C-alpha cells in the first residue's frame, strides 16, 4: 500500500480528495491536515510515500511546505493539488511528481497514481535487487547499453514499429489498449485493417528485441485487449537521472562532482530525435528539471570562483536549449567577469539574431537593459 498524506486548508476539498483516493485499493491515507505547519512537523514520523499539497494556503503556502517536507522526507513524492496554475513552474522546479488542478477529475487523478505507483515500485525494486547492467537511454534518442557499452542500434522494420515501441516504452509497465495504439498509428484505417497492422507490428518489435538479446517483454494484457511493455530489471536513463537529482543534497564543495556527472548525463531532450507529439509533456518536464539543475551548478561555480567550469556549463545550456534566454545572460555575465568584452558582444548578437530569425522577436527587456548598461560602462572605461 502507498501511504499518502493530504494537506489542504479547505476541509471540504480535503474530504473529497480523501474519498477519491480511498476508492483506490493501492492508496492508504494515513493523515490529513488543514494546517501545513502541523503537517510539516508530523511528516518525518509518518514517513509518507506521497504528499498531496494545496498551494494557496495562509501563513505557509504549499510550495514552502513542500520545500520543508522534501528536506525532512526525501523519499516522499510531492503532488500539488490547486485551483491555480500560476505556481506550475515553481512546482516543477521542486521536482514535484505532478501538478493537478481543482476540481480534481477522477481520470486525471488516476494518471497521477499510475506515475506514483511506478516510482514506488521502482524504488522498492532498487532496494531489493543488485545493480543491473542493461540500460535504455531515451535522452535525445532511443539507445541500449549493456555494462556501459552501447549495443548496436536496433534496426526497426518500419517507422511505425519504432514509434510503437517508443510509445509502449513511454507508458512502460502500464496497460495500453489496442484502440489507443491503432488510433495513434493508423487513424485513417478501418478497425480490421488497423488491427492487422498492429498485430504485425507488435510481432516485428518482439523479433527486433529478441534478435538484439534485450530482455523486454510485451505482454498481452486485459484479456488480449491491449499490451504492456514490462521493463523488469532494465535501467531507464531518465528515471535514474531524476532519482539521482532528487536524492542529492544542495550543491556544495563536497558533492559538486556528482552534480556535474548528473548534468553531463543529460545528453539531449527526451526522445528529441523523433517528432512524437505525445512525448512533449514529459520532454518539457525533464527539460525544466535539467535547466533548473544546470543554473544551480553554474551559480555554484561562479560563487566558488570556478569561472572556466561556469563557462562550460552555460555553453552547454545554450547549446542544448538555445531559446533559454537566461542561459545566454549567464554566459554574458561570466564573460564580463573575466574581461572578455568581445565574447559578451558576440553572445548578445548571437541571441539577438537567433530570436529574430527563428521567432521574430527581440531579446527580453531585462537582458537588453543589462547589455545596454554593460555597454555604457565599458565605453566609459575605454
Amino acid at each position: 500500500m502507498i501511504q499518502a498524506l493530504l494537506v489542504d486548508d479547505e476541509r471540504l476539498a480535503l474530504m473529497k480528495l480523501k474519498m477519491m483516493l480511498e476508492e483506490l485499493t493501492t492508496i492508504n491515507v494515513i493523515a490529513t491536515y488543514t494546517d501545513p505547519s502541523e503537517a510539516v512537523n508530523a511528516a518525518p514520523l509518518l514517513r509518507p510515500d506521497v504528499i498531496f499539497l494545496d498551494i494557496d494556503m495562509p501563513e505557509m503556502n504549499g510550495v514552502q511546505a513542500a520545500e520543508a517536507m522534501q528536506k525532512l522526507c526525501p523519499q516522499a513524492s510531492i503532488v500539488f493539488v490547486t485551483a491555480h496554475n500560476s505556481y506550475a513552474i515553481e512546482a516543477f522546479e521542486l521536482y514535484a511528481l505532478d501538478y493537478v488542478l481543482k476540481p480534481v477529475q477522477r481520470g486525471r487523478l488516476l494518471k497521477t497514481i499510475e506515475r506514483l505507483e511506478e516510482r514506488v515500485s521502482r524504488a522498492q525494486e532498487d532496494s531489493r535487487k543488485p545493480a543491473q547492467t542493461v540500460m535504455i537511454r531515451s535522452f535525445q534518442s532511443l539507445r541500449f547499453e549493456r555494462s556501459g557499452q552501447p549495443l548496436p542500434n536496433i534496426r526497426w522494420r518500419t517507422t511505425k514499429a519504432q514509434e510503437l515501441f517508443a510509445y509502449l516504452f513511454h507508458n512502460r509497465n502500464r496497460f495500453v489498449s489496442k484502440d489507443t495504439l491503432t488510433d495513434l498509428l493508423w487513424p485513417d484505417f478501418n478497425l480490421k485493417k488497423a488491427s492487422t497492422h498492429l498485430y504485425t507490428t507488435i510481432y516485428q518489435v518482439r523479433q527486433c528485441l529478441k534478435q538484439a538479446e534485450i530482455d523486454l517483454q510485451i505482454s498481452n494484457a486485459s484479456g488480449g485487449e491491449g499490451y504492456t511493455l514490462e521493463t523488469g530489471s532494465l535501467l531507464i536513463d531518465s528515471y535514474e537521472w531524476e532519482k539521482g537529482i532528487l536524492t542529492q543534497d544542495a550543491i556544495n564543495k563536497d558533492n559538486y562532482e556528482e552534480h556535474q556527472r548528473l548534468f553531463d548525463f543529460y545528453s539531449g531532450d527526451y526522445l528529441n530525435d523523433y517528432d512524437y507529439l505525445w512525448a512533449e509533456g514529459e520532454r518539457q518536464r525533464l527539460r525544466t528539471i535539467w535547466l533548473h539543475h544546470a543554473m544551480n551548478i553554474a551559480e555554484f561555480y561562479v560563487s566558488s570562483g570556478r569561472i572556466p567550469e561556469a563557462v562550460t556549463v552555460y555553453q552547454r545550456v545554450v547549446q542544448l536549449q538555445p531559446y533559454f534566454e537566461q542561459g545566454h545572460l549567464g554566459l554574458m555575465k561570466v564573460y564580463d567577469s573575466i574581461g572578455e568584452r568581445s565574447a559578451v558582444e558576440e553572445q548578445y548578437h548571437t541571441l539577438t539574431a537567433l530570436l529574430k530569425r527563428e521567432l521574430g522577436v527581440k531579446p527580453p527587456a531585462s537582458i537588453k537593459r543589462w547589455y545596454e548598461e554593460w555597454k555604457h560602462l565599458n565605453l566609459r572605461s575605454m
Side-chain angles (χ1 to χ4, degrees), residues 310-322:
V311 169
T312 300
V313 169
Y314 280 127
Q315 286 177 337
R316 181 65 172 164
V317 167
V318 300
Q319 177 191 9
L320 289 185
Q321 307 298 338

Side-chain angles (χ1 to χ4, degrees), residues 63-201:
V63 174
Q64 294 167 329
E67 290 176 334
M69 288 184 179
Q70 282 187 331
K71 294 176 182 177
L72 297 169
C73 304
Q75 81 286 351
S77 297
I78 302 292
V79 176
F80 288 106
V81 185
T82 179
H84 308 284
N85 60 11
S86 57
Y87 289 96
I89 297 299
E90 288 183 71
F92 282 116
E93 285 183 347
L94 283 169
Y95 313 133
L97 175 75
D98 210 344
Y99 186 94
V100 182
L101 291 176
K102 294 179 181 179
V104 179
Q105 303 297 316
R106 188 174 186 277
R108 181 64 181 83
L109 186 60
L110 285 174
K111 291 182 179 180
T112 299
I113 299 305
E114 286 178 358
R115 286 188 63 192
L116 176 63
E117 288 173 345
E118 179 183 3
R119 178 174 288 185
V120 171
S121 175
R122 285 193 168 275
Q124 291 172 346
E125 289 177 10
D126 289 345
S127 66
R128 292 193 300 264
K129 66 189 180 184
Q132 304 301 317
T133 58
V134 178
M135 176 177 285
I136 304 177
R137 290 192 175 269
S138 55
F139 287 137
Q140 194 64 29
S141 64
L142 277 170
R143 306 179 308 283
F144 299 87
E145 289 183 359
R146 182 174 284 116
S147 299
Q149 298 300 314
L151 295 174
N153 289 335
I154 290 181
R155 301 183 64 179
W156 304 108
R157 292 283 298 276
T158 63
T159 57
K160 296 293 187 185
Q162 176 180 279
E163 184 169 5
L164 174 61
F165 173 79
Y167 191 77
L168 291 175
F169 168 77
H170 180 72
N171 294 280
R172 55 193 173 277
N173 304 312
R174 297 197 296 266
F175 169 77
V176 180
S177 71
K178 290 181 178 178
D179 289 343
T180 297
L181 293 171
T182 53
D183 288 345
L184 175 72
L185 297 169
W186 299 280
D188 300 325
F189 289 12
N190 62 46
L191 179 60
K192 183 177 181 181
K193 190 172 183 181
S195 297
T196 300
H197 279 285
L198 176 59
Y199 297 140
T200 301
T201 307

Side-chain angles (χ1 to χ4, degrees), residues 2 4 14 31 44 50 60 64 87 102 129 139 182 203 209 214 225 242 257 284 314 321 323 327 335 372:
I2 296 174
L14 197 63
V50 59
M60 175 185 285
Q64 294 167 329
Y87 289 96
K102 294 179 181 179
K129 66 189 180 184
F139 287 137
T182 53
Y203 173 79
L209 295 172
I214 296 172
E225 292 303 310
E242 186 174 358
E257 290 181 337
Q284 290 185 6
Y314 280 127
Q321 307 298 338
Y323 301 111
Y335 284 150
E372 293 296 337

Side-chain angles (χ1 to χ4, degrees), residues 269-315:
D269 284 345
Y270 177 72
L271 298 179
N272 200 48
D273 280 349
Y274 317 107
D275 189 22
Y276 300 152
L277 292 179
W278 47 260
E280 186 57 30
E282 182 70 351
R283 186 177 296 133
Q284 290 185 6
R285 188 182 75 86
L286 295 173
R287 179 191 299 144
T288 299
I289 293 173
W290 182 75
L291 285 171
H292 181 68
H293 185 239
M295 296 301 281
N296 283 341
I297 293 174
E299 288 167 9
F300 167 78
Y301 283 144
V302 170
S303 64
S304 303
R306 306 173 71 97
I307 301 304
E309 288 92 336
V311 169
T312 300
V313 169
Y314 280 127
Q315 286 177 337

